[in-house]
Amino acid sequence: MNNLVDLSGWLASTNYTGPFGLTVKCCIRPDKVDEFKSLMKEHLGMILAQPGLIRLKVNSDFESDSIFWMVEEWESPAALKNHLSTPWFLNGCEERPALKALYKISD
């Protein structure tokens, strides 16, 4: 699986009900790294409180200061599906415009 579309398709079609993990690569604009770290710290408690989330780690890339890896473990695909359908995830938080501005989008 290489992207959210693949993940969404798998979540919609899987019969698997056990725990699983995923890794998300976050490419942040170099001038926004400190802001990204601040927003992650601010929202970490709320994210960790998501039902079914076993573990979340945010790691810095060993080659680039502007790449971060979010390693997530979930109790089940259903738990992740619930998280992906929360208003916070769908609509974003008040800072979402700022958060979106942090990411370095490449074609």
Side-chain angles (χ1 to χ4, degrees), residues 20 49 62 65 84:
F20 74 102
F62 72 96
D65 294 337
L84 296 176

Side-chain angles (χ1 to χ4, degrees), residues 31-51:
D31 61 321
K32 298 292 186 176
V33 168
D34 289 338
E35 190 175 344
F36 172 78
K37 289 178 180 179
S38 177
L39 285 170
M40 286 302 297
K41 285 180 185 176
E42 182 180 336
H43 294 290
L44 191 59
M46 190 269 319
I47 295 167
L48 291 172
Q50 292 296 300

Side-chain angles (χ1 to χ4, degrees), residues 6-46:
D6 291 344
L7 177 62
S8 296
W10 179 78
L11 287 172
S13 64
T14 187
N15 292 323
Y16 181 72
T17 60
F20 74 102
L22 66 125
T23 302
V24 179
K25 182 179 182 180
C26 301
C27 298
I28 306 302
R29 290 180 27 200
D31 61 321
K32 298 292 186 176
V33 168
D34 289 338
E35 190 175 344
F36 172 78
K37 289 178 180 179
S38 177
L39 285 170
M40 286 302 297
K41 285 180 185 176
E42 182 180 336
H43 294 290
L44 191 59
M46 190 269 319

Side-chain angles (χ1 to χ4, degrees), residues 49-92:
Q50 292 296 300
L53 180 62
I54 298 169
R55 183 171 297 121
L56 169 69
K57 281 191 77 173
V58 180
N59 299 305
S60 299
D61 190 78
F62 72 96
E63 291 184 325
S64 173
D65 294 337
S66 63
I67 294 177
F68 297 86
W69 298 90
M70 295 197 311
V71 181
E72 304 176 15
E73 292 180 39
W74 292 90
E75 289 178 359
S76 67
L80 179 58
K81 282 170 52 174
N82 288 338
H83 167 65
L84 296 176
S85 66
T86 61
W88 182 85
F89 187 85
L90 291 174
N91 302 324

